[in-house]
Amino acid sequence: TITKNRLRHALLARLSPDTLALHGGQPIPVEGFATMRVPVDALAYFAGDPPRAYQIEQWLPIFEQMHVTHSVLVVTRNLGMFRRLEGRTGLPVVFALRLAAVEDLLARTDPKVCLYVNNASANFLALSWRRALHVHLNHGESDKVSMASNQAKAYDFVLVAGEAAEARYRDNLLSFDGSNLVRIGRPQLDLEFPPMLPASARRTVLYAPTWEGDTPAMDYTSVPKYGPRLVRALVASGDFRVVYKPHPRVVTGSRRVVAAHKEIVRTLESANGGLPKTDRHFVQIDTPILGLFQSCDAIVCDVSSVAVDWLYLRTDAPLWVCDPFDDREALVGSSPLAERAYVLDTGVMQDVVARIRDSLETDPRRAEREEGRQFYFGDLTPGESTQRFLDTI
């Protein structure tokens, strides 16, 4: 009897040697790789699986710009992720299954810099390589506890957005002086996304909740507590067009999260019956969220990078942050951004439509958002973050 795990390893062994290369959009076996030496300037290491693809994919356009002057090689440790990247980037991509393949790859390419976009434990396999500088990038800027991971001490440099990120590390880590932190802003926010929604006479509210995280400490999602009620209230008012853009991992979350997610989708789909095309509500799962910002008038989100991205790109528009635990003191203590945003809690839910409508009409917190943008990003303007990143590398 062949177990699923044994079958998987048998298939991998049959598909390839330890390493596959992606070249010209087609995966090719490289049995002769061990005899080759192909120097690269930077190695982008990603050990995640397809559900975590968003972590590396948001960096690919930036790496492609960097590749013009400094060669970049993307290394994946997951076959599904390797296949997903086929056709999604012009960068060379390598699949390295085992540690021996990673070590051989590093020896043959001899990168000057290794780049990491998450806190995966498998990063430490590459971190053992002593001939390169190891640089942590992460995949967003937020007030989540993972954004002040003790793993930051392992890297030669940690690139951060601005003053808020520096304070987050220094305030939360023991014996950490922050000397390896480098401010670069957020290069992804320099990318241009064409509007993805048709114009509407109705004001548009974007509900963009995060997922529940891998641990209780990382559970910031508002989906089960507020999601269905919020969407029903906005739809029933007849005043708003609703765009629902959950974190990709909401769709595959726990039963309580998935059940609430499905209820939200059903509510929006049912409400679309009979509406003119320009007033219809949208469910956007795979759409890049930055492409939705310009079509929306206000956002309701959780403590996440989405909130900080909105602060930077749409400082002019109301930002609502959910408090799923009804603990305002804890929320503000963990997220300085929440102090500058409108907060949605159980009390606000009682008349949430009126509250959101008022924030759109009078918006008394705009000056606080402008102050917050300075705290999180400094004086950076669109275009400057990417250049600062390239210069730093």
Side-chain angles (χ1 to χ4, degrees):
T1 301
I2 300 179
T3 64
K4 181 185 287 188
N5 199 44
R6 287 178 59 195
L7 178 60
R8 174 178 174 273
H9 285 290
L11 287 172
L12 288 178
R14 191 176 295 179
L15 280 168
S16 70
D18 280 344
T19 307
L20 286 175
L22 186 67
H23 178 72
Q26 296 297 321
I28 56 173
V30 285
E31 292 88 343
F33 188 76
T35 64
M36 299 167 60
R37 184 175 179 82
V38 188
V40 299
D41 293 321
L43 187 149
Y45 179 95
F46 186 66
D49 53 10
R52 293 173 173 82
Y54 64 93
Q55 297 174 345
I56 184 72
E57 287 177 353
Q58 65 178 265
W59 275 103
L60 293 178
I62 310 300
F63 293 158
E64 288 165 0
Q65 292 185 49
M66 179 179 158
H67 192 60
V68 174
T69 54
H70 299 292
S71 56
V72 181
L73 174 68
V74 179
V75 178
T76 65
R77 301 296 309 284
N78 177 278
L79 183 60
M81 191 64 228
F82 171 76
R83 287 173 166 164
R84 178 185 172 96
L85 291 179
E86 182 179 354
R88 291 177 182 248
T89 179
L91 296 171
V93 183
V94 168
F95 165 58
L97 176 61
R98 301 180 180 87
L99 175 58
V102 175
E103 292 178 341
D104 184 62
L105 182 66
L106 287 162
R108 301 300 168 185
T109 57
D110 197 23
K112 299 177 180 67
V113 175
C114 293
L115 306 171
Y116 306 83
V117 301
N118 61 18
N119 291 318
S121 58
N123 289 0
F124 286 83
L125 298 178
L127 270 165
S128 63
W129 185 252
R130 297 188 298 273
R131 288 178 51 84
L133 289 174
H134 298 269
V135 180
H136 192 258
L137 307 179
N138 223 321
H139 51 275
E141 163 63 1
S142 79
D143 290 321
K144 288 185 175 181
V145 68
S146 61
M147 297 298 294
S149 171
N150 211 40
Q151 293 170 332
K153 297 175 182 177
Y155 298 92
D156 296 296
F157 297 98
V158 177
L159 306 193
V160 298
E163 181 184 352
E166 289 185 347
R168 192 182 305 120
Y169 276 110
R170 291 198 180 101
D171 292 347
N172 287 282
L173 301 186
L174 301 176
S175 188
F176 182 76
D177 63 6
S179 59
N180 67 338
L181 302 178
V182 180
R183 296 187 194 182
I184 63 160
R186 181 135 151 73
Q188 289 81 2
L189 303 185
D190 292 338
L191 301 174
E192 292 186 8
F193 292 88
M196 296 182 176
L197 301 177
S200 175
R202 290 189 181 188
R203 287 178 293 190
T204 301
V205 176
L206 173 61
Y207 177 46
T210 191
W211 68 302
E212 60 199 303
D214 290 316
T215 66
M218 282 290 291
D219 187 0
Y220 298 92
T221 187
S222 62
V223 172
K225 183 159 186 177
Y226 299 132
R229 284 192 294 163
L230 169 68
V231 170
R232 282 197 302 269
L234 291 171
V235 166
S237 74
D239 294 338
F240 299 105
R241 177 175 66 168
V242 178
V243 178
Y244 173 50
K245 174 64 176 87
H247 186 287
R249 299 191 69 183
V250 165
V251 181
T252 57
S254 65
R255 281 185 293 180
R256 70 186 183 100
V257 169
V258 171
H261 161 73
K262 290 181 177 178
E263 186 177 349
I264 293 169
V265 173
R266 285 194 302 269
T267 298
L268 294 176
E269 290 177 345
S270 175
N272 278 337
L275 286 177
K277 189 173 183 179
T278 56
D279 292 342
R280 289 178 187 168
H281 311 289
F282 288 88
V283 175
Q284 303 284 307
I285 303 298
D286 297 319
T287 303
I289 191 167
L290 298 181
L292 301 172
F293 278 11
Q294 292 305 318
S295 299
C296 299
D297 301 294
I299 189 172
V300 179
C301 57
D302 301 328
V303 172
S304 68
S305 63
V306 171
V308 181
D309 290 350
W310 182 273
L311 178 72
Y312 181 85
L313 293 174
R314 293 300 313 275
T315 318
D316 61 315
L319 165 63
W320 285 81
V321 174
C322 295
D323 180 7
F325 300 103
D326 284 326
D327 189 338
R328 185 71 61 94
E329 184 178 353
L331 176 69
V332 171
S334 63
S335 174
L337 178 57
E339 231 177 341
R340 299 165 169 91
Y342 303 98
V343 174
L344 192 156
D345 56 19
T346 298
V348 171
M349 272 302 305
Q350 305 306 316
D351 58 347
V352 67
V353 172
R355 297 289 192 98
I356 291 176
R357 186 185 293 118
D358 183 62
S359 72
L360 284 162
E361 292 172 356
T362 63
D363 197 9
R365 312 214 73 166
R366 177 165 180 169
E368 294 173 81
R369 292 197 303 275
E370 290 172 351
E371 178 189 346
R373 188 185 190 280
Q374 177 74 25
F375 180 52
Y376 280 84
F377 295 101
D379 294 323
L380 287 171
T381 58
E384 293 181 349
S385 293
T386 299
Q387 192 57 52
R388 186 174 290 187
F389 167 73
L390 296 174
D391 291 344
T392 299
I393 296 299

